[in-house]
Amino acid sequence: MTALDVKTERTHESAMAALFAEARANLPSPAWLQPLRAEALARVSRDGLPHRRVEAWKYTDLRNKLSTDLTIATGAGTPPPSLFEGIGAHRIDINGGKVTASPRGDELPDGLEVISLAEALKTPAAWLRQWFEPGSDALQNLNLAFATDGALIRVGRGLQLDRPVLIRSTLVEAGVISNTRSVVYLEEGAELTLIELDDGATEAQSLANAMTSIVLEPGARLNHLRVTASAGAGVVVRNHDLDLARDAAYEGVVLSSGAALARQQMSVRLTGQGADFNLACAYATGEGEHADYTLEISHDAPNTKSRLLAKGVASGNGHAAVQGRVIVKPEAQKTDSHQMSRALLLSPHAEIDQKPELEIFADDVKCGHGAAIGAVDPNQMFYLRARGIPEVQARNMLVAAFLGEVTERVPGIFRSAVDAWLTARMATVGAAPQ
Amino acid sequence: MLEIKDLHATVDGKKILNGLTLSLGSGEVHAIMGPNGSGKSTLSYVLAGRPGYEVTSGTVTFRGQDLLTMKTEERAAAGIFLALQYPVEIPGVTTINFLRTALNAQAKARGEVELDAVSFLKRLKQEREDLSMSDEMVKRAVNVGFSGGEKKRNEVLQMAMLKPSLAILDETDSGLDIDALKLVAEGVNAMRAPNRSFLVITHYQRLLDYIVPDKVHVLAAGRIAKTGGPDLARELEAKGYDEIVKAA
């Protein structure tokens, strides 16, 4: 390898370091946070941004999609109409890494607290420190170094909220990075429906990198819907870090379609007996799109349960990767875990990689996984067409039915908006070259 | 209505139809009988335009149009309906949605106005009640968890809703008990009309006691070996196909 190659390899990192040097004075930082940001950036420089020789990034070429000439998002530009316009929710809007709207204190029920990260960081806010430790993940470290804003949400003990909380993150600027960091904390027995929507046309290789830490105290229940509806040439990375205590329950749906590169990284720890994690993911990737779901679920306590269902389609030269790793710690006896990944390839040039992994260190567990890739059933296609339904429409119907196992879990009031979005997406994805 | 001339067709490179000629007039009901492997189902798939069924020579004209150049869905919109021998299960798509989408797609292809939701549901209720099908059945995913007889009834329901000019029934009687058979036959008979023709493919004479055909054709080795009236079906029931097959 020549010196020139080495230099090329480091360009992303040196660009980030230069950007950090330039921007750090303007980032919201109480005294305790400044060295943590510097350490996070140092780790990015030291370890580098992921490349495809890193196992967890084997199927997703981040560097190739990422520009080395990025500036920090300013919040310029007008967001497009929201997918969830008009649906009743406590709304937090983020544009270009800045919170632009959030509920006033007097609009919130007792026990529900919502504050922007930027606002919180104007105070010492030392209580936040536990969510700002540099780690080993390059994207999360990058996020910590540059985080500009985010939503901090706490639901008080035993509070069961009917009205969902909706965080919408938009990025419409070209050539920028946007890093937001949010915390969702449910106290004992609290219940919340949380919707996170990413949208906007992330133009010209922008990077929208968001991190949400979720803590469920004993008996808390979170109903979670995440939709990445971004379009355009940009990269969207979503990091989720979840802690489930005793008898806490997480029920989630994560959907992704339209971005040049959308990666959902989720790290889940089941730390209390009876914790229950149940996630369904769906993706539809068309020409020039890439979707990646990378999950790690760690069973740290006995009698914990996890379920993962991933379903998706790829057409044209679309690409998707689903990686699910389940770890069962020695003390996590009676773990019950299952993951299933099913995919439909709509074209010979599309690619879907599925990699389930199990690491079991306990001896009394029930763990399973399955994966299947196929094409649309020709018998079903003939049946629909023989009744007069044109080929593309018939295929889209079958794809929608295939993804239905996931989309039917979308919380009721969001269902028709999600269906309409997916139908519109399939009109594009389904029309990609076969 | 339908003119088939010297039709040859192959499936996976295997010759199945060998010079089949058949003329079906408007309002007529013809039965196609014949032993296993004689090409009955192949004929139905070739007419409906199933991918993989390759016509190597011959012509098929449907109401003056060259059927063989039309896509599967175009044939349906032009008025051809095939009731499948083995109706397909479609998880995640309800029968209501399936029927509505099909009706609207056909209307659109013909340049007609789509049926509004209220009229559609009213018609569906009437047709399914005539076939003793419950509301719950049409709200379920297409054919999923249906018994053999229920699947066949669902085919007849689709036919009643889509009102084709040519209905091809591929062994719609197989797997039916006598009550279901009568119900299905009544459904078909109710649809008999001067501008609608039927091609009834069957193994047994039993169905033809209820749907009385104008003509009976015996298919053997991929061509029509014998044609007669309803009596021919009874004769076959008594004597079997052997004689005709040998003659062919």
Side-chain angles (χ1 to χ4, degrees), chain A residues 414-428:
Chain A
F414 295 92
R415 179 75 197 269
S416 64
V418 164
D419 283 346
W421 168 66
L422 261 183
T423 302
R425 281 298 308 150
M426 276 316 298
T428 305

Side-chain angles (χ1 to χ4, degrees), chain A residues 44-59:
Chain A
V44 172
S45 300
R46 187 191 69 203
D47 305 335
L49 286 176
H51 46 72
R52 295 189 63 181
R53 293 189 301 278
V54 173
E55 186 61 23
W57 290 83
K58 189 175 170 184
Y59 303 110

